[in-house]
Amino acid sequence: MVANKASSIEVKKINRNVIYKFLYKHDPISIQEIAYTLNMSLPTVTQNIKELQERDLVIETGLFESTGGRKAKAIAYNSLAKYAVGLDVTRDHIGIVLIDLSGKVIKNERKQYPFVNSREYFEGIGNLVKHFIEDCKIDKSKILGVGIALPAILSADRQTVSYATVIDFKGGSVKSFSEFIPYPCALSNDANAAGLAEMWVDGNIENMAYLSLNDSVGGAIIIGKNIYPGENQRGGEFGHMTIVPNGRTCYCGQKGCVDAYCSAKILSASSNGSIAEFFRLLKLNREPHKALWEEYLTHLIVTINNLRMLYDCNVILGGYVGAYLDEYIDDIRELVARRNTFEVDGTYLHVCKYKLEATAVGAALQHVENFINNV
Ligand SMILES: [Zn+2]
């Protein structure tokens, strides 16, 4: 009897979650259609929608046109019911975003804030987060948590940092941040976070190799909508694939890594550190920018082709450089196609859709994902 009761509560919870996730992915829809599509009874759906409405997680957005009889109510999930904050911690900057449940950026800021492994730094981050949330003027109880993306490799439980050279935080812990941030905190690898954001924006993506072309090069491998972390949390560290034997020295100490050829710094070093300025000058056909770009492309093409050969799935170009590649993508596709053994075009290659703070958004999305899975 007790077991039966427990399992009926469990079934109820599963149904509610199925309905909520269905609404999350769909346009406004009537209760009748939800019941029909999910093969549930009308009373079950009605009862669950009522409960979700009481929690403000589901709203009525209007009425559907009717061909006769009573008009059906349009039901949708409430994207403003909860929010999450994301931080993009880099060596020199901090990016911060507030997103709603849909992943839309409500507010963002980026400022110079060099990473220092000190109490003062983490306290400063805590104050920054608190002020940022106050400026957003939303009910604090609606904040699911703060996601923190780091240019570092994390432990399997994502509580500590197992490898970091871009920032001095090896052996660091989420506790350094959470001591000063009064919300649940979760760490993520920066490129994995950006990859998650890209997957979120296009619900149809199943598999993807995300190449993050930032000041350091990283990446994420997504298989069946999940990040493949690898056995040591180093999956997708594309920046340290060797593309030139005995080539340029990488910051990691090895020679010939992708990072030494495809980092955003290779380009921005010619334009006072600004990638926007680099692409402006490139558009004007200025030298040395044009020559630098051509050389950069030869290595980028090899890297992209290697990813395609390895994973046989879409390759997404992201990071600071990726955000500027819309007008070059046709040329890059043609170049990768020429190198490809099996394909005559490069339609598998795409430019990232998140141009703004993808990493911080992805860090925040961890909390959204967790929330959605547990409604
Ligand atoms: Zn390297």
Side-chain angles (χ1 to χ4, degrees):
M1 200 55 202
V2 172
N4 276 345
K5 193 172 176 191
S7 67
S8 86
I9 289 169
E10 204 49 40
V11 168
K12 215 177 144 191
K13 202 177 158 197
I14 292 168
N15 281 339
R16 190 174 57 216
N17 194 255
V18 167
I19 293 168
Y20 183 75
K21 276 185 178 161
F22 177 79
L23 286 170
Y24 186 85
K25 288 185 184 135
H26 284 77
D27 291 334
I29 186 167
S30 69
I31 287 182
Q32 288 78 1
E33 266 186 276
I34 298 169
Y36 176 77
T37 316
L38 295 178
N39 201 14
M40 286 181 187
S41 76
L42 204 53
T44 298
V45 175
T46 307
Q47 179 59 29
N48 275 295
I49 293 293
K50 194 172 158 246
E51 281 176 28
L52 289 167
Q53 270 179 319
E54 279 163 10
R55 289 168 63 189
D56 203 27
L57 296 179
V58 156
I59 48 174
E60 287 170 15
T61 57
L63 296 170
F64 285 112
E65 282 305 315
S66 155
T67 50
R70 212 151 56 122
K71 290 179 178 177
K73 287 172 185 161
I75 307 291
Y77 86 100
N78 178 10
S79 65
L80 304 179
K82 300 284 175 192
Y83 300 87
V85 174
L87 293 175
D88 176 20
V89 173
T90 76
R91 199 180 61 177
D92 302 313
H93 296 86
I94 184 92
I96 180 165
V97 298
L98 178 85
I99 61 166
D100 67 11
L101 280 180
S102 74
K104 190 175 136 195
V105 176
I106 307 287
K107 184 178 163 71
N108 76 290
E109 266 176 40
R110 173 161 284 257
K111 54 176 74 177
Q112 194 119 28
Y113 200 75
F115 182 91
V116 186
N117 192 354
S118 73
R119 223 182 132 75
E120 289 71 33
Y121 173 84
F122 297 109
E123 193 171 8
I125 293 286
N127 289 332
L128 182 84
V129 169
K130 282 178 238 166
H131 290 143
F132 180 79
I133 291 173
E134 270 162 30
D135 287 348
C136 292
K137 304 210 185 311
I138 51 165
D139 183 350
K140 290 188 179 82
S141 68
K142 289 186 170 184
I143 306 273
L144 295 170
V146 178
I148 302 150
L150 302 173
I153 293 174
L154 306 176
S155 59
D157 64 4
R158 299 207 277 184
Q159 298 296 302
T160 55
V161 172
S162 57
Y163 178 92
T165 51
V166 176
I167 55 171
D168 166 30
F169 198 39
K170 194 177 174 192
S173 159
V174 68
K175 286 182 193 147
S176 297
F177 289 96
S178 60
E179 191 181 339
F180 301 103
I181 298 176
Y183 301 94
C185 291
L187 298 181
S188 55
N189 167 267
D190 54 358
N192 280 349
L196 179 65
E198 276 304 309
M199 183 179 70
W200 213 265
V201 81
D202 181 348
N204 297 319
I205 291 181
E206 280 288 327
N207 309 312
M208 152 184 126
Y210 176 81
L211 179 61
S212 172
L213 301 166
N214 277 330
D215 281 353
S216 60
V217 176
I221 305 160
I222 289 170
I223 299 174
K225 292 191 183 289
N226 287 308
I227 286 177
Y228 170 72
E231 294 183 359
N232 305 286
Q233 312 301 310
R234 296 177 206 137
E237 282 295 324
F238 304 139
H240 304 292
M241 297 194 300
T242 309
I243 48 169
V244 180
N246 294 317
R248 286 183 202 154
T249 302
C250 176
Y251 72 88
C252 74
Q254 295 294 344
K255 285 184 186 295
C257 295
V258 168
D259 196 287
Y261 297 89
C262 294
S263 138
K265 283 195 277 193
I266 299 289
L267 303 175
S268 62
S270 68
S271 49
N272 287 322
S274 162
I275 202 77
E277 178 65 1
F278 173 84
F279 280 101
R280 191 185 72 82
L281 295 166
L282 178 65
K283 223 170 159 178
L284 299 172
N285 277 323
R286 294 279 174 80
E287 292 293 0
H289 316 288
K290 215 175 141 205
L292 267 172
W293 177 238
E294 270 156 30
E295 203 214 344
Y296 182 92
L297 273 182
T298 59
H299 297 106
L300 182 64
I301 299 305
V302 170
T303 307
I304 295 168
N305 188 56
N306 288 350
L307 295 179
R308 178 65 173 173
M309 290 301 132
L310 276 167
Y311 301 108
D312 188 27
C313 66
N314 279 349
V315 176
I316 316 289
L317 301 174
Y320 302 155
V321 176
Y324 288 90
L325 295 183
D326 277 324
E327 56 187 287
Y328 301 94
I329 191 67
D330 289 339
D331 295 342
I332 301 173
R333 279 181 176 149
E334 202 185 312
L335 292 168
V336 293
R338 273 189 226 159
R339 193 167 264 284
N340 190 298
T341 309
F342 307 108
E343 294 161 296
V344 293
D345 66 42
T347 47
Y348 68 85
L349 185 67
H350 301 274
V351 174
C352 59
K353 289 183 179 150
Y354 261 109
K355 315 282 187 213
L356 180 75
E357 297 288 1
T359 303
V361 169
L365 279 172
Q366 286 185 91
H367 289 283
V368 170
E369 190 175 34
N370 190 34
F371 174 76
I372 291 170
N373 287 334
N374 290 292
V375 160

